[in-house]
Amino acid sequence: QLGNTAKKLNMKIYLVGGIVRDIILGRKNLDIDILVEGDAIKLAYEFAKENGFVFHKFEEFMTAQIKTKDNIKLDFATARKEIYEYPGAYPKVEKATLREDLFRRDFTINTLAIDITEENFGILLDYFYGYQDIRNKKIRVLHELSFIEDPIRIFRALRFAGRFGFKLGSHTEKLLKVAIQQNFIKVAPEGRINLELNLTFNEENVIEILFLMDEYKLLNHLIKYFVLNDFRKKVLEKIRDNILYFELIFNKKADKSIIYLLGLLYHLPLEIATEFLEKYYFEKAFKSFEEFYYLKDKINENLKNSEIYEYIKGITLETKIFLISYLPENLSKRILDILNKEKEKFITGKDLISLGLKPSPKFSKIQTEIFKKYLDNEIKDKKQALEYIKQK
Ligand code: CTP
C-alpha cells in the first residue's frame, strides 16, 4: 500500500539501516526506517492521510513519523547527505541519492537497503559489502574520516561489537585506536555522549560493551583516574545479575544507567564522580551516589539485621541493587534476606485490627518494631509476634 502511494508520487522507497541488518541476523527490531528518494514528508503525509494514521514532521531534518492504528511506528527520511560543520556536531542536511545517503553512515553493516517500491519489491541493495561483513561478523567504517567526522561512532562501534559479538575490522580497529588516543571524543557534545552511555547501559550485552570500552581505553578518556580491575569487573557482572533478579523476584524495574554508573565510578572520590555526572547530564544519579557514599563504610558484618534494615529501608532501588552487587557475599545475602522478608509483609494492618486495635498512625511504628525483632530472630514467627503485641 505504501508502495502504491510512493508510485503515485513518483518516489522510490527503501527499507534501510538497523532493520535490514537485523532481518539478516534474524534479530527482533521494531524500528522501521524508510528511506525516500524524493520528499519523505510529502509521502508520509499522503500515506497517513489515506489511512487515517497519526503524522508528525520534522522539517529541519527532512523526516516524518507515522503511527498506525495498531501502534506501529514508521520513520520516513529523505535520502540526504550530511554535512558536519565541525567534528562531533549535529549534522546539517541536504537532499541526495540512496547510495549517497548510505555512504554517510557509520558502518558497512548498517548500509544495506531493501527496495520496497512495487516493481522491485524485496531486492537487497548492498553497495558497500555490508552483507559480507554481517556474515563475517565484522564492524567496518566506510572511509578513513568516519570517526573524525562523528566521534560518537567510537561508542557505536564498540556497542555493536559487544551487542552482536562482532570484531572490528583490522583497519577500522586502527582508526578507532587513533581516534581514542587523540581524544576525538573531547569534541563530541556531552548530550550525545549521555545518550550513547544510556543506550549502552540498557543493552543486553552491557558488560561485554563496557569491557570493550575499557580494553580500548575509551573509559580512561571519559573518566578521570578510572581503573577497572578484576574486582570491579566482578561488581559490574553482579549488577547485571542483580538487576535481573530484582525484576524477577521483586517485580521492580530499576534505572540501569544509575546502577552501572555507580559500578563504574564508585572507586573514585565523590567529587570526581559528581564532576563526571554533572558534565554528562546524569543528575538523576546524584541521589543514589550520595546514599552509597554515605553507606559504604557503615554497613558491616557486626551490625544486627535490624540495624542494616534501618540503613537501607529508605534508599533508592538503584542503591540497593548496587550495594548488593558491591558488598561481600555474606552481607549481600543478609540484605537480600531482609528485603525478601520485607516483601512478605510480616504483620499487616489487618493482623493488628484482629487483635482489637483501632487503626491509627501508630500501626506502622508497631509494624516496624515487630519486623525488626523478627529480623533479629527475637521473634520467630507470626504467632509469636501477635502474642508479643497482645502482651504489650
Ligand atoms: N548513524 C550513523 N552515525 C551515527 C548514528 C547513526 O551513521 N552517529 C546511522 C547508522 O548507519 C544507523 C542509522 O544512522 O543505521 C540509524 O541510527 P540508529 O537508529 O541509531 O541505528 P540502528 O542501526 O538502528 O541502531 P539500533 O539497532 O541501536 O537502533
Side-chain angles (χ1 to χ4, degrees), residues 8 51 70 180 190 193 199 213 350 383 388 390:
K8 269 196 290 193
N51 294 282
D70 22 10
I180 294 175
E190 284 81 9
I193 294 184
L199 287 172
M213 288 167 82
K350 266 194 187 147
K383 201 172 139 210
Y388 175 88
K390 245 195 245 168

Side-chain angles (χ1 to χ4, degrees), residues 1-14 35-40 42-44 46 50 95 115 117-119:
Q1 218 182 356
L2 177 63
N4 205 280
T5 316
K7 196 172 177 183
K8 269 196 290 193
L9 295 171
N10 200 19
M11 294 181 195
K12 285 190 170 161
I13 50 174
Y14 309 88
L35 195 76
V36 185
E37 275 183 334
D39 186 341
K42 192 167 170 195
L43 172 66
E46 287 299 327
E50 283 166 17
K95 274 193 184 165
D115 199 325
T117 43
E118 273 188 339
E119 55 281 18

Side-chain angles (χ1 to χ4, degrees), residues 236 317 377:
L236 289 170
L317 175 62
N377 234 350

Side-chain angles (χ1 to χ4, degrees), residues 82 84 86-91 104-107 141 143-157 179 184-185 187-189 192-193 196:
E82 277 182 358
Y84 293 83
Y86 56 91
Y90 292 96
R104 77 188 162 83
R105 291 175 187 245
D106 48 5
F107 309 112
V141 288
H143 58 82
E144 298 287 309
L145 297 178
S146 194
F147 292 121
I148 301 180
E149 202 171 80
D150 183 4
I152 286 299
R153 291 176 175 166
I154 299 169
F155 289 86
R156 290 175 60 89
F184 287 177
I185 54 165
V187 293
R192 291 190 73 196
I193 294 184
E196 214 24 73

Side-chain angles (χ1 to χ4, degrees), residues 17-19 21-22 29 31 33 84 104-107 110 150 152-153 156 159-160 163 192 203:
I19 186 154
R21 175 199 69 214
D22 288 343
N29 186 333
D31 294 334
D33 287 318
Y84 293 83
R104 77 188 162 83
R105 291 175 187 245
D106 48 5
F107 309 112
N110 291 333
D150 183 4
I152 286 299
R153 291 176 175 166
R156 290 175 60 89
R159 193 153 60 80
F160 288 127
R163 181 200 293 175
R192 291 190 73 196
E203 288 273 348

